[in-house]
Amino acid sequence: MEVKKFFTLSLESIDGANEFVRELLLKYNCSKMDSVRAQLFVEETIVHWQKGAQENETFEISMGKRFKTITLSLNYWGDQSNPLALPEEVDDPEFNLIGQNILIGLSSVTYSYENGRNNVSYTLKVKSTNPALTTAIALIAGIVCGLALLYFSPSTGLWIAATILTPLSGTFFGFLNAMVVPVLFLSAIGSIFNMDNVAQMKRIFRSLLSWSLGIILLASAISLLAAQLFFINEGSASSGGNSGDLWGQIGTMVFGIIPTNILQPFLDGNTLQIMFLAIVGGVVMLTLKGRFPFITKIITEGNLIFTTILDAVCTMMPWVVFISILNMMVSGNGGALLGAIGLIAMIIVSFFAIVVIMLISVALVEKMNPITYLKSAGSFLLIALSTASSSATFASHTLTASIKQGIRDYVINFSIPVGVLFNKQFSIPLLLLTSLFVGRFYGIAFTMGEIVPVVVLCMILSVAVPPSPGMGPFLFTIVFNLLGIPLEGLALAVTIDIFMDYPMTFGHVMTTNIGMLHTEHMLRVKENKVDLKKSLSSR
């Protein structure tokens, strides 16, 4: 059921509109953070629209719920006015665009203009049970039930596995695999062309991009080293041929990214070529900046449709984990769970290596003791580690960066939402090492020539895929398809992913914060040089 209410389009209506939204979200059992973000969305939209509105004009707030998705919409009848389109330049470089930047960065807001009506819609999720808790319960239940069947009636367990468990898991993973191509393309292209605020932040975007790419290369190098040490033995390495063959495979992979037929990558499910088309399309749309609103709307709405379907499918993940783990236990393959302990230790060591190198950069560039840095950033890093939510750290992160770290407002207001979108470098070792571990469980040996394209794909995915729920099984599906790993192994991979999401979020938030520190340092160095030149020229 949709609820609607009209308000006068003025700043005086902000409190009433926020109260209306807050009360509705309480009924829908939304989280406190989502409620704050929704009120921020309403406030920034009102502030933008009221600037060009006539006296006594009105706007409408509507909210409706379908399944586990809540849509909050604001409608204003008048001249076209997009609150998400940031200006190329502003009179005051410190102008507070925090609301618009965070909403654009999270890619959760859409804008349309039809028949004289401006519509801005914000999509939220109903608060759900902690996925780590439900997955832990499913994991333990699967192990207990599997051990019980093995002890009391092994033959019954094998019959259940063959006639019920295997078909059920196969159907689920087959449907998930069918979702890969459209979700991959639409989410990647949408993530790029939604970044309209890049133009306003030209001075800092290059610094942030350089830092982000540097950490991506670092995470990829550490992942390759761990793969070489633990998953590529002498036999598999030699089977791949000599170094010339390796570089030949890499060259084939690089040039093979560019498709010769636009439709063929979608028919073949070639993820690298699909990513190439999505990136090119997103950059072109970003350059044209809304000259084709019809195409933009199709992609935006399509992305929302498939993401909603993916969310619905992934709510079943605890049941799938239970079925798959039970199937693994009754089939006599429960030893893989014990092997996963070593994998988790390997991934955590990889994470730790990336964190140490980032802290070294703080010591070298900022001349700051790493312990001092951790004390200053401890509040929001602990929130990230305990909640696995970048959004939950927003308020504490912003306050700490501004007051304790002395970072200027417009750097913070741009960097945090962009970081939520692009800084997912810690997912690279998780994706690669977990996929190789599952592949080895199924008896698949890998050469370095086979792993390098996967690392390249993981690098692209860490940038292009938005941080929305359900991306864990989606990302592993892509990597498994590229490596030829049976999709039945997704249950184990996703279980590991859910628990590793906590240290990963810690790393992603730290990456964003240190990137802001280095950007602020760069700006101050440039400003000091300008001041010095002015001082010398005035003498």
Side-chain angles (χ1 to χ4, degrees):
M1 180 179 178
E2 191 174 41
V3 181
K4 301 180 180 180
K5 187 174 182 179
F6 280 90
F7 295 86
T8 302
L9 187 53
S10 66
L11 297 180
E12 288 73 20
S13 299
I14 291 177
D15 290 340
N18 278 339
E19 181 65 25
F20 174 71
V21 170
R22 185 164 54 247
E23 290 179 357
L24 287 177
L25 292 179
L26 282 174
K27 296 179 181 178
Y28 288 135
N29 194 31
C30 280
S31 67
K32 184 177 180 181
M33 180 55 63
D34 277 342
S35 179
V36 171
R37 290 164 57 193
Q39 293 172 60
L40 176 63
F41 158 72
V42 171
E43 180 176 337
E44 289 299 322
T45 304
I46 295 173
V47 169
H48 181 85
W49 279 346
Q50 63 87 29
K51 293 176 182 177
Q54 303 296 322
E55 188 175 0
N56 295 326
E57 282 193 295
T58 61
F59 71 97
E60 178 192 62
I61 297 180
S62 64
M63 186 181 297
K65 176 184 175 184
R66 292 183 179 178
F67 301 106
K68 292 190 176 183
T69 300
I70 300 170
T71 301
L72 172 61
S73 298
L74 272 67
N75 299 300
Y76 163 55
W77 286 264
D79 295 332
Q80 185 171 0
S81 179
N82 183 2
L84 305 181
L86 303 184
E88 294 283 345
E89 298 179 359
V90 292
D91 296 333
D92 181 5
E94 303 288 339
F95 183 69
N96 190 0
L97 293 169
I98 186 171
Q100 290 167 299
N101 279 324
I102 189 65
L103 293 174
I104 293 172
L106 292 175
S107 302
S108 53
V109 180
T110 60
Y111 170 80
S112 63
Y113 183 74
E114 295 180 356
N115 301 322
R117 185 189 69 166
N118 294 276
N119 172 268
V120 188
S121 295
Y122 178 37
T123 304
L124 305 92
K125 304 295 181 184
V126 176
K127 186 177 180 180
S128 58
T129 309
N130 189 326
L133 176 62
T134 56
T135 303
I137 294 173
L139 179 65
I140 295 172
I143 295 174
V144 171
C145 292
L147 291 174
L149 283 172
L150 286 175
Y151 181 79
F152 292 107
S153 182
S155 59
T156 302
L158 291 174
W159 179 83
I160 293 175
T163 58
I164 300 176
L165 301 180
T166 299
L168 281 177
S169 61
T171 301
F172 176 85
F173 292 127
F175 180 73
L176 188 63
N177 187 45
M179 296 287 295
V180 165
V181 171
V183 174
L184 175 66
F185 180 76
L186 293 173
S187 61
I189 195 172
S191 297
I192 297 173
F193 78 72
N194 276 332
M195 291 302 300
D196 286 340
N197 53 353
V198 170
Q200 186 201 14
M201 299 293 180
K202 289 179 181 179
R203 290 193 300 168
I204 65 174
F205 183 71
R206 182 176 299 177
S207 174
L208 293 172
L209 180 62
S210 299
W211 169 253
S212 181
L213 291 177
I215 302 302
I216 287 174
L217 294 175
L218 172 65
S220 301
I222 292 174
S223 302
L224 276 175
L225 177 61
Q228 176 70 43
L229 292 175
F230 297 101
F231 292 106
I232 300 180
N233 54 42
E234 294 181 0
S236 62
S238 62
S239 66
N242 54 35
S243 60
D245 294 333
L246 170 60
W247 288 108
Q249 292 179 51
I250 296 174
T252 302
M253 181 269 299
V254 171
F255 292 107
I257 291 177
I258 304 175
T260 56
N261 185 309
I262 293 179
L263 296 178
Q264 199 62 40
F266 297 93
L267 298 176
D268 297 338
N270 189 317
T271 51
L272 288 174
Q273 292 184 349
I274 292 170
M275 290 298 296
F276 175 83
L277 292 175
I279 292 171
V280 171
V283 170
V284 170
M285 293 184 68
L286 180 61
T287 303
L288 296 176
K289 292 185 179 177
R291 291 181 60 183
F292 302 98
F294 177 71
I295 298 177
T296 301
K297 184 175 182 180
I298 290 177
I299 293 176
T300 302
E301 294 298 325
N303 188 24
L304 179 60
I305 290 171
F306 280 102
T307 302
T308 302
I309 295 174
L310 187 64
D311 287 344
V313 171
C314 290
T315 56
M316 302 170 60
M317 188 54 66
W319 290 101
V320 176
V321 168
F322 170 77
I323 291 171
S324 299
I325 297 301
L326 178 59
N327 193 12
M328 186 181 299
M329 294 295 297
V330 298
S331 300
N333 297 320
L337 296 176
L338 295 177
I341 297 175
L343 170 66
I344 292 173
M346 188 193 316
I347 295 172
I348 291 177
V349 169
S350 301
F351 289 174
F352 181 75
I354 300 172
V355 168
V356 168
I357 293 175
M358 288 197 296
L359 290 176
I360 292 175
S361 77
V362 171
L364 296 177
V365 177
E366 309 299 329
K367 310 300 180 185
M368 181 187 300
N369 189 312
I371 302 299
T372 303
Y373 166 77
L374 289 174
K375 288 181 179 179
S376 68
S379 58
F380 60 83
L381 290 178
L382 286 175
I383 294 174
L385 185 62
S386 60
T387 65
S389 171
S390 299
S391 299
T393 67
F394 173 70
S396 178
H397 195 176
T398 301
L399 186 64
T400 300
S402 177
I403 297 177
K404 291 185 178 181
Q405 298 177 331
I407 302 174
R408 62 195 71 190
D409 288 343
Y410 71 86
V411 174
I412 298 171
N413 299 339
F414 179 73
S415 301
I416 292 179
V418 171
V420 170
L421 190 63
F422 287 117
N423 285 331
K424 300 186 290 294
Q425 297 90 335
F426 282 66
S427 62
I428 296 174
L430 174 72
L431 282 171
L432 179 66
L433 299 178
T434 304
S435 299
L436 296 180
F437 171 80
V438 176
R440 188 169 67 177
F441 169 73
Y442 283 101
I444 303 174
F446 303 101
T447 66
M448 184 59 73
E450 292 169 330
I451 292 177
V452 170
V454 180
V455 174
V456 174
L457 176 62
C458 292
M459 292 168 63
I460 297 173
L461 291 175
S462 72
V463 175
V465 177
S468 57
M471 285 297 114
F474 165 69
L475 295 179
F476 278 111
T477 301
I478 298 171
V479 179
F480 277 28
N481 283 334
L482 187 60
L483 287 172
I485 301 173
L487 293 181
E488 288 77 9
L490 280 175
L492 181 58
V494 172
T495 301
I496 296 171
D497 171 74
I498 289 174
F499 291 107
M500 296 307 297
D501 195 27
Y502 293 85
M504 274 200 305
T505 305
F506 174 93
H508 298 159
V509 173
M510 177 182 279
T511 303
T512 299
N513 183 255
I514 295 179
M516 288 195 296
L517 280 175
H518 292 341
T519 299
E520 178 66 27
H521 177 83
M522 178 269 297
L523 292 174
R524 289 181 179 177
V525 169
K526 287 186 177 181
E527 289 169 354
N528 290 337
K529 289 181 180 180
V530 172
D531 292 340
L532 180 60
K533 288 182 180 179
K534 289 182 179 179
S535 176
L536 293 175
S537 62
S538 62
R539 292 181 180 178

